[in-house]
Protein backbone atom coordinates (compact mmCIF):
# COMPACT_ATOMS: atom_id res chain seq x y z
CA UNK A 1 0.00 0.00 0.00
CA UNK A 2 2.97 2.34 0.42
CA UNK A 3 5.01 2.92 -2.74
CA UNK A 4 8.74 2.76 -2.08
CA UNK A 5 9.52 6.23 -3.41
CA UNK A 6 6.36 8.09 -2.44
CA UNK A 7 6.83 11.71 -1.47
CA UNK A 8 4.29 14.38 -0.73
CA UNK A 9 4.02 17.39 -2.99
CA UNK A 10 5.73 20.46 -1.52
CA UNK A 11 2.40 22.25 -1.01
CA UNK A 12 1.00 19.33 1.01
CA UNK A 13 4.17 19.03 3.08
CA UNK A 14 4.13 22.77 3.89
CA UNK A 15 0.46 22.60 4.88
CA UNK A 16 1.09 19.70 7.25
CA UNK A 17 4.16 21.31 8.79
CA UNK A 18 2.20 24.53 9.38
CA UNK A 19 -0.27 22.73 11.64
CA UNK A 20 0.30 23.30 15.34
CA UNK A 21 1.48 20.30 17.31
CA UNK A 22 2.08 18.26 14.16
CA UNK A 23 4.94 16.45 15.90
CA UNK A 24 3.11 15.85 19.19
CA UNK A 25 1.17 12.77 20.18
CA UNK A 26 -2.63 13.18 20.24
CA UNK A 27 -2.71 12.14 23.91
CA UNK A 28 -0.27 14.93 24.82
CA UNK A 29 -2.38 17.48 22.95
CA UNK A 30 -5.55 16.30 24.70
CA UNK A 31 -3.79 16.37 28.09
CA UNK A 32 -2.69 19.98 27.46
CA UNK A 33 -6.25 21.04 26.62
CA UNK A 34 -7.56 19.19 29.69
CA UNK A 35 -5.07 20.98 31.93
CA UNK A 36 -5.98 24.33 30.39
CA UNK A 37 -9.68 23.67 31.07
CA UNK A 38 -8.98 22.65 34.67
CA UNK A 39 -6.88 25.77 35.23
CA UNK A 40 -9.59 28.00 33.77
CA UNK A 41 -12.21 26.46 36.03
CA UNK A 42 -10.11 26.99 39.17
CA UNK A 43 -9.91 30.77 38.78
CA UNK A 44 -11.81 32.36 41.67
CA UNK A 45 -12.62 35.78 40.22
CA UNK A 46 -15.73 35.46 37.99
CA UNK A 47 -14.48 37.89 35.33
CA UNK A 48 -11.04 36.31 35.16
CA UNK A 49 -12.60 32.85 35.09
CA UNK A 50 -14.83 33.88 32.19
CA UNK A 51 -11.80 35.24 30.32
CA UNK A 52 -9.77 32.09 30.96
CA UNK A 53 -12.64 29.91 29.75
CA UNK A 54 -12.98 32.04 26.61
CA UNK A 55 -9.27 31.63 25.87
CA UNK A 56 -9.65 27.86 26.29
CA UNK A 57 -12.71 27.76 24.03
CA UNK A 58 -10.98 29.87 21.38
CA UNK A 59 -8.01 27.49 21.41
CA UNK A 60 -10.38 24.56 20.89
CA UNK A 61 -12.14 26.40 18.04
CA UNK A 62 -8.84 27.31 16.40
CA UNK A 63 -7.76 23.68 16.60
CA UNK A 64 -10.88 22.59 14.76
CA UNK A 65 -10.27 25.00 11.89
CA UNK A 66 -7.16 23.28 10.60
CA UNK A 67 -7.77 21.23 7.46
CA UNK A 68 -8.19 17.53 7.76
CA UNK A 69 -5.85 15.35 5.78
CA UNK A 70 -7.82 13.65 3.03
CA UNK A 71 -7.20 9.97 2.47
CA UNK A 72 -6.73 8.67 -0.98
CA UNK A 73 -9.97 7.02 -2.20
CA UNK A 74 -8.25 3.64 -2.25
CA UNK A 75 -7.38 3.97 1.47
CA UNK A 76 -10.86 4.89 2.69
CA UNK A 77 -12.88 2.22 4.40
Amino acid sequence: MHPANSTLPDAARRQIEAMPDVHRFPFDIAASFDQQAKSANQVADPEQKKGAQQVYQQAMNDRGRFPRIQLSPCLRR
Side-chain angles (χ1 to χ4, degrees), residues 10-70:
D10 287 338
R13 191 175 324 113
R14 283 192 303 272
Q15 187 178 13
I16 291 169
E17 289 298 323
M19 292 178 180
D21 304 323
V22 70
H23 298 289
R24 291 179 64 196
F25 291 110
F27 178 82
D28 294 337
I29 296 167
S32 295
F33 276 118
D34 185 54
Q35 183 57 46
Q36 187 178 4
K38 288 178 182 177
S39 295
N41 288 328
Q42 291 177 351
V43 175
D45 180 81
E47 288 300 313
Q48 289 181 347
K49 183 175 186 172
K50 181 179 177 182
Q53 288 172 334
Q54 287 174 340
V55 168
Y56 165 75
Q57 187 60 52
Q58 186 62 49
M60 294 291 287
N61 292 341
D62 290 346
R63 188 66 142 122
R65 286 192 187 108
F66 282 94
R68 304 290 186 257
I69 297 172
Q70 297 296 317

